[in-house]
Amino acid sequence: MRIIDSHTGGEPTRIIVENGPDLGQGTMAQRRARFVEQFSHIRTTLTGEPRGSLFMVGALLCEPHDPNNAAGVIFFNNAGVLGMCGHGMIGLIVTLYHLGKVGLGLHRVETPVGVVEVELLSPNRARIENVPSYRFAKDVSVDIPNFGSITGDIAWGGNWFYLVKQHHQVLSQDNTLALVNYCASIQQALNDAGITGDDGSAVDHIELFGEPSDSQLADSRNFVLCPGREYDRSPCGTGTSAKMACLYEDGLLKPGQLWRQQSIIGSIFEGFVKCKDDKLIPIITGNAYVTMDSRVLQDVSDPFVNGF
């Protein structure tokens, strides 16, 4: 397999661009199901050790179901297969430009949860029109062992999020271990309480918010725990989408109003929302850079050939 690595705001994306598994025809949702059933070893090969790491996000580049679209993609990480990935989508379009497959301008990319429009603004900067996002539930309280009761919102931004503003945690890069443990406790409490998204899916992303390091640069700083107990180094595209959906519902963000979201390492996504066909559409802009173009070698005598 040929893979190309990139990072978006510090968060890596590893994309299979040649010789990936054949998932046959059909929609990305149908091909995602085949990937889960038959090719989980590909996921662990690229995101697991010794080739990858817990925070690696992988992707499989696919031919689109609709030939008018630029590409199809299935995102995955150490814990499973994702519905959508905002930072990964920005990394994907920059990678496609690097390969000479797309030029600057507007493109449509198929994902398992819908078609995403991506505008490549420059070789390293892209704007994505995400899937419709919304808040499912406001002020949902759970009891966290050793921390007491906390309250947050449940929202969809391409993945399910539990968003917490009043958490009394220090959002800084040197406090990430404590933040991971805190968010993992929230995740467990949500699971124990049977709290899910509106389709019964697990709320598998936990997002904390606080003041930015510099109010001239950003409106908010976040910490996002992803499935698999790893945190997002970027501001998280789907998480920023979910956050803006909550702000819109609270009357704190108007259509077209800029929202600048800072990550735990200081990188920034710019976003705004628009209303289309009675749905809320988040628009996210960020930078990505290609970091490696390589081939995956698999020795059948290697006991860890498929990662661990």
Side-chain angles (χ1 to χ4, degrees):
M1 292 181 290
R2 180 187 177 190
I3 58 173
I4 292 184
D5 285 7
S6 64
H7 81 85
T8 308
E11 182 75 356
T13 309
R14 172 168 289 172
I15 303 173
I16 304 171
V17 297
E18 291 178 9
N19 299 320
D22 182 3
L23 303 181
Q25 301 299 310
T27 66
M28 287 304 112
Q30 292 169 329
R31 283 185 257 182
R32 176 190 187 275
R34 295 187 197 112
F35 185 84
V36 171
E37 292 170 1
Q38 303 174 33
F39 297 104
S40 286
H41 63 283
I42 299 295
R43 177 181 62 80
T44 56
T45 295
L46 297 185
T47 62
E49 297 181 53
R51 296 179 185 85
S53 62
L54 290 178
F55 59 87
M56 178 66 70
V57 173
L60 173 62
L61 179 65
C62 302
E63 289 296 320
H65 181 61
D66 181 346
N68 294 315
N69 294 332
V73 65
I74 298 170
F75 293 107
F76 51 88
N77 64 8
N78 72 88
V81 181
L82 304 172
M84 225 297 279
C85 181
H87 93 268
M89 186 61 72
I90 295 173
L92 172 70
I93 204 68
V94 167
T95 295
L96 291 176
Y97 180 85
H98 170 79
L99 291 170
K101 293 182 178 293
V102 301
L104 301 183
L106 190 63
H107 308 280
R108 289 167 54 89
V109 179
E110 299 172 7
T111 79
V113 296
V115 174
V116 175
E117 290 192 350
V118 191
E119 185 178 4
L120 188 62
L121 304 171
S122 75
N124 297 109
R125 188 166 179 82
R127 176 184 297 129
I128 67 171
E129 181 174 309
N130 198 8
V131 296
S133 300
Y134 59 96
R135 179 166 63 194
F136 169 55
K138 179 179 173 64
D139 292 339
V140 178
S141 296
V142 290
D143 291 320
I144 313 300
N146 302 318
F147 294 104
S149 179
I150 65 165
T151 301
D153 292 352
I154 297 175
W156 171 260
N159 295 297
W160 282 109
F161 288 82
Y162 184 73
L163 305 101
V164 184
K165 185 175 182 180
Q166 302 298 329
H167 46 73
H168 309 295
Q169 301 297 303
V170 177
L171 299 189
S172 64
Q173 191 175 350
D174 59 3
N175 193 42
T176 53
L177 179 58
L179 292 171
V180 166
N181 291 332
Y182 177 74
C183 289
S185 297
I186 297 175
Q187 176 74 77
Q188 188 61 54
L190 291 171
N191 292 342
D192 292 344
I195 296 172
T196 68
D198 66 355
D199 60 354
S201 296
V203 181
D204 56 5
H205 289 69
I206 310 300
E207 189 163 9
L208 309 180
F209 291 92
E211 295 300 316
S213 61
D214 184 342
S215 61
Q216 299 299 311
L217 296 176
D219 299 291
S220 171
R221 190 174 199 175
N222 70 5
F223 177 85
V224 179
L225 185 69
C226 302
R229 287 182 63 95
E230 269 301 327
Y231 67 91
D232 200 325
R233 274 67 173 170
S234 83
C236 188
T238 55
T240 300
S241 297
K243 175 63 173 179
M244 292 194 299
C246 293
L247 291 169
Y248 174 82
E249 291 292 337
D250 289 333
L252 300 176
L253 188 70
K254 299 178 181 179
Q257 181 181 345
L258 186 67
W259 178 263
R260 300 163 302 169
Q261 185 62 59
Q262 185 180 49
S263 76
I264 195 67
I265 69 167
S267 54
I268 293 174
F269 284 168
E270 294 180 349
F272 64 90
V273 297
K274 68 178 183 179
C275 297
K276 180 180 179 181
D277 300 328
D278 297 324
K279 295 179 180 179
L280 193 71
I281 309 297
I283 313 295
I284 307 290
T285 302
N287 295 335
Y289 301 88
V290 172
T291 58
M292 188 179 300
D293 186 339
S294 56
R295 302 274 177 178
V296 177
L297 302 180
Q298 295 175 290
D299 187 334
V300 294
S301 67
D302 180 357
F304 303 116
V305 63
N306 292 325
F308 63 90

